[in-house]
Amino acid sequence: MIFYTLNIILFYAHYKVLGQTLGGQQNKYLQLIFWAFAELTVFISIKLYFDFFYLYTERPQDDKWLKIKQLAALDLYRSLFFIGLSSLYWTASNISNYERKAKESAIKQLTAERDALALQTRLARSENALLRQQINPHLIFNSLNFIHSTVYRVSEKAAETVIMLTDILRFSMESAEEDGKIPLQKEIDQIDNLITLNRSRFKTTAPIDSIVTGSPAGHRIIPLVLTTLVENVFKHGDFIEHHVKIHLDLSAEGLLSFHTLNRVTAQAPFPRMKSTGLENIRTRLDYAYGDTYQLQTTEQDGWFRTKLNIAL
């Protein structure tokens, strides 16, 4: 009765251990091995104690210890048998859970593959939209060189503006490196060109608060994200009479924070960059940075604000 009771207790104890180690979200195999070894140690020790108590007779010492060894082997065999039986019973009871977990894992994998494929499709569409906007570069640059040579005779300042425009166009058509990124300083230089070009173009006296804090040296970014946001400021913003903010802050850890603020024109001559422009930017950021960036755009009381944070 004592030994059968111990075997039954071992059966349910191991069933409980299996539920605690393999029944959760994560399988804890090391804990299972530890507790299984502990079970065997405890229950075999108890059985050997009763074996020794049962054989405590006037037999010769050698004969008694030989019998103990034989019983120890039998105790080990029976303990392993009940542990195995408990494992089979637990597996049969939880086979549906394993099937459910396997299906959930397969669904998650398929969902991840679907999302990756959708992102690649969106990126391809975004890149195609950019390609459609690119006219033959030789035609553009040759024409701008002709315009520069002609305008220079009339106004040296106007000719410098043509050079800035040429630099901006060349930058937009340049190929990035293999990972799709360029030095951050190049992007900042084009922002400065856009600001200078629009100051000269519209002859505005309103302040354009452009600030760069932190050192961009050694940091890289995908091109035409910051410049597109700045271009949107001048395309849709009323900066003739209202101030504009363009702030870029780069921490020592490489966290870039970019912020623009502009007054919205009453009737913008161009469609507001809500769908195609921002959608292309978000697609490229999703593909390049995943979850390591945040882009927010808000419009309130006639002011349009963008906030972009990227871990470079």
Side-chain angles (χ1 to χ4, degrees), residues 115-186:
D115 292 342
L117 182 60
L119 180 57
Q120 290 179 356
T121 302
R122 289 166 52 202
L123 179 66
R125 291 175 180 172
S126 175
E127 291 177 343
N128 288 336
L130 291 175
L131 289 173
R132 285 196 299 268
Q133 296 174 1
Q134 292 182 352
I135 309 173
N136 190 315
H138 296 290
L139 174 63
I140 292 177
F141 293 132
N142 290 337
S143 300
L144 287 173
N145 286 333
F146 170 75
I147 295 172
H148 173 265
S149 301
T150 304
V151 171
Y152 187 81
R153 302 170 187 171
V154 180
S155 172
E156 183 176 346
K157 185 176 181 180
E160 292 178 356
T161 303
V162 175
I163 293 297
M164 289 182 189
L165 178 60
T166 304
D167 290 340
I168 293 173
L169 290 174
R170 182 177 288 109
F171 172 75
S172 66
M173 295 180 181
E174 281 182 350
S175 298
E177 298 181 14
E178 291 184 0
D179 60 354
K181 298 180 181 179
I182 62 170
L184 177 60
Q185 185 60 55
K186 284 189 175 183

Side-chain angles (χ1 to χ4, degrees), residues 285-301:
L285 289 171
D286 286 341
Y287 192 80
Y289 299 101
D291 296 330
T292 61
Y293 88 94
Q294 299 86 36
L295 174 60
Q296 297 178 346
T297 60
T298 57
E299 185 174 340
Q300 185 177 8
D301 298 330

Side-chain angles (χ1 to χ4, degrees), residues 5 69 77 88 90 96 110 132 141 151 165 167 172 213 233 254:
T5 301
K69 291 179 181 179
Y77 166 77
L88 290 175
W90 185 89
S96 60
L110 291 174
R132 285 196 299 268
F141 293 132
V151 171
L165 178 60
D167 290 340
S172 66
T213 57
V233 169

Side-chain angles (χ1 to χ4, degrees), residues 17 48 55 60 74 174 232 259 291 299:
V17 167
L48 287 176
L55 293 174
L74 181 61
E174 281 182 350
N232 188 56
H259 173 213
D291 296 330
E299 185 174 340

Side-chain angles (χ1 to χ4, degrees), residues 183-252:
L184 177 60
Q185 185 60 55
K186 284 189 175 183
E187 189 86 1
I188 294 175
D189 292 341
Q190 299 314 309
I191 292 175
D192 293 338
N193 284 340
L194 278 173
I195 294 173
T196 304
L197 183 63
N198 283 279
R199 279 184 186 275
S200 175
R201 179 185 174 191
F202 294 98
K203 302 186 183 303
T204 177
T205 58
I208 298 178
D209 184 13
S210 176
I211 300 176
V212 176
T213 57
S215 175
H219 294 287
R220 300 164 68 248
I221 190 174
I222 60 174
L224 299 174
V225 171
L226 305 184
T227 52
T228 302
L229 294 176
V230 173
E231 181 185 7
N232 188 56
V233 169
F234 295 111
K235 181 184 291 185
H236 306 296
D238 182 5
F239 59 95
I240 305 298
E241 299 179 357
H242 300 277
H243 71 281
V244 169
K245 286 186 179 181
I246 302 172
H247 290 183
L248 187 151
D249 179 72
L250 188 63
S251 68

